[in-house]
Amino acid sequence: MARTLKRSAAFAALARALMSGARGGPSLGARMAALPRMIKATTRGEYDGGLRLALMAAAAAYVVSPMDVVPEMFLAVLGLVDDAVMVTWLAGSVLAETERFLEWEAGRASVVPGSVLS
């Protein structure tokens, strides 16, 4: 039951993120272009996406890991299903987080740097 819920949540996040571009949200190109800026802002400590980026990096490492071949050899289709779920979650997470970053970036651009004089 819990695994089914996680899978459906991952698919829903991916669908929601992909559809937001069609509804006037950021396009896929804008999101992918924001990814390097998001990583840079996170490493500088300006953006609070550290944990989310770490989880996404761990998911990407899991998918490309040579150790992941072992379950696929013995479990065949089930070994590929976990990769499909992980890739879906990763895609949904990247799209959702880049949208969040673009909103943060836009809000940050509206703030005028300086100090208040009394």
Side-chain angles (χ1 to χ4, degrees), residues 26 29 47 49 51 62 73 90 92 94-95 109:
Y47 181 66
L51 179 61
Y62 174 78
M73 288 185 333
L90 180 60
V94 168
L95 293 174

Side-chain angles (χ1 to χ4, degrees), residues 41-108:
T42 301
T43 56
R44 287 183 177 170
E46 299 169 356
Y47 181 66
D48 67 342
L51 179 61
R52 289 178 293 278
L53 282 176
L55 289 172
M56 287 185 264
Y62 174 78
V63 170
V64 299
S65 170
M67 292 301 292
D68 190 41
V69 173
V70 175
E72 290 165 2
M73 288 185 333
F74 297 111
L75 300 175
V77 174
L78 292 177
L80 294 175
V81 168
D82 75 321
D83 285 345
V85 170
M86 191 62 70
V87 167
T88 302
W89 177 86
L90 180 60
S93 296
V94 168
L95 293 174
E97 190 61 28
T98 53
E99 182 175 3
R100 182 176 171 267
F101 174 75
L102 288 169
E103 289 171 1
W104 173 83
E105 201 173 42
R108 188 170 183 225

